[in-house]
Amino acid sequence: MSSPPKRVAQYVYLKPEYLQDYKKCHAAVWPEVLKQIKDCNIEDYSIFYDDAKSLLFASFKYVGSDWDSDMKAMSANPKVREWWDMTDKMQESPFPGATGSASGPWWKPVDEVFHCA
């Protein structure tokens, strides 16, 4: 029996001067990055933008069985790391001392308090 998908939601701040660049790169995400996302058992991935707070809110379903291994595989991919290098400079983490997506918590995970399927 497989376990139900793990729903993940998180946020990070977008530096307002990078809004158009951020939208442009996400309108044409590199194929290698998209493949790695799928290979790491992530589905139904969306990022939303709140212009009043310059806030990016992301949500996705993790359908795998080994989160730690999948996230290690994600961060080991050179194209993913290149993508993070490009996009991290556009963002500000809510975690004090966070230095980038590859270095630990960059996006702030949030608890699900309600879900209606």
Side-chain angles (χ1 to χ4, degrees):
M1 181 171 139
S2 65
S3 47
K6 174 182 178 178
R7 296 165 43 83
V8 177
Q10 52 196 9
Y11 72 91
V12 70
Y13 298 103
L14 181 67
K15 296 176 183 175
E17 66 270 22
Y18 286 108
L19 176 59
Q20 293 311 313
D21 292 337
Y22 193 85
K23 285 183 175 183
K24 183 178 176 181
C25 71
H26 281 83
V29 177
W30 303 340
E32 301 92 343
V33 172
L34 293 174
K35 181 180 183 319
Q36 188 65 58
I37 289 169
K38 290 190 182 302
D39 288 350
C40 289
N41 298 297
I42 293 173
E43 297 180 352
D44 196 20
Y45 190 174
S46 296
I47 301 174
F48 302 90
Y49 178 66
D50 175 356
D51 63 344
K53 304 270 187 202
S54 293
L55 183 76
L56 296 169
F57 175 81
S59 69
F60 58 85
K61 285 191 280 188
Y62 176 72
V63 296
S65 60
D66 191 344
W67 171 264
D68 290 337
S69 290
D70 283 332
M71 295 307 100
K72 283 179 186 172
M74 179 80 71
S75 65
N77 183 311
K79 282 307 261 189
V80 169
R81 291 179 74 91
E82 185 180 345
W83 178 266
W84 289 345
D85 286 343
M86 176 182 63
T87 58
D88 282 358
K89 71 179 179 197
M90 301 177 193
Q91 305 167 17
E92 292 183 84
S93 175
F95 286 101
T99 59
S101 292
S103 66
W106 180 250
W107 286 65
K108 169 76 169 98
V110 292
D111 293 329
E112 182 175 26
V113 295
F114 175 77
H115 175 76
C116 180

